[in-house]
Amino acid sequence: MAPEPLTGGCACGAVRYEISEPLVSASYCHCTRCQRRTGTAASAQARVAPGSLTWVQGEDNIGSWTPEGGFTKAFCTSCGGQLYSCDPDNPETTTGVRLGTFDGDPGIRPQKRTHVASAAAWEPIPDDGLPRFDRGGEWTEGSDP
């Protein structure tokens, strides 16, 4: 179990946060948007409990982009470091903080892989035993629900 509060921030240190409750879940997303946003094959994030995320520094330095039909992506406007994503229609209950932004061990590991139907061809998904969903919530052939 990770110590509380959990702390983290962007690459340049302009934005800092604390999370006061244990993380709810964690996952990898292999969608094309996450690939393009991160420059990697998948994005790793952890869902936070509603009301547990507090910006302790630089909240005014957070920019965002909401693609049509997608979650809002938030980042530091100084360094471009990705911070979190959320459902634009329900941001208080759907915030996913990027695992790479935590100062230490967040105390949780990804439990599933989503959007594997659009996974990058140049990096095979590892055989790690995690459940795989073709899209956000659909199981792929052979996965255990």
Side-chain angles (χ1 to χ4, degrees):
M1 187 116 172
E4 292 177 28
L6 294 168
T7 60
C10 67
C12 72
V15 179
R16 300 285 305 153
Y17 64 80
E18 288 184 353
I19 298 174
S20 61
E21 296 181 36
L23 298 167
V24 175
S25 62
S27 64
Y28 293 107
C29 181
H30 295 270
C31 78
T32 304
R33 280 191 189 129
C34 282
Q35 291 169 31
R36 291 182 177 158
R37 181 182 44 75
T38 65
T40 64
S43 174
Q45 56 271 328
R47 180 75 50 96
V48 300
S52 67
L53 175 64
T54 303
W55 301 104
V56 296
Q57 179 180 304
E59 186 172 6
D60 59 341
N61 213 48
I62 298 173
S64 66
W65 170 64
T66 305
E68 185 176 328
F71 274 33
T72 298
K73 311 329 182 203
F75 53 90
C76 172
T77 58
S78 293
C79 68
Q82 300 294 310
L83 296 164
Y84 68 93
S85 63
C86 64
D87 183 338
D89 297 326
N90 202 1
E92 300 305 314
T93 60
T94 60
T95 301
V97 174
R98 304 292 173 237
L99 286 176
T101 66
F102 286 98
D103 290 332
D105 186 347
I108 196 167
R109 303 295 179 264
Q111 298 135 345
K112 65 182 177 178
R113 293 180 176 277
T114 62
H115 296 277
V116 299
S118 55
W122 47 266
E123 185 171 333
I125 298 173
D127 186 13
D128 55 12
L130 293 178
R132 296 176 182 199
F133 294 89
D134 280 341
R135 288 182 285 217
E138 296 176 14
W139 291 98
T140 59
E141 186 74 25
S143 293
D144 243 350

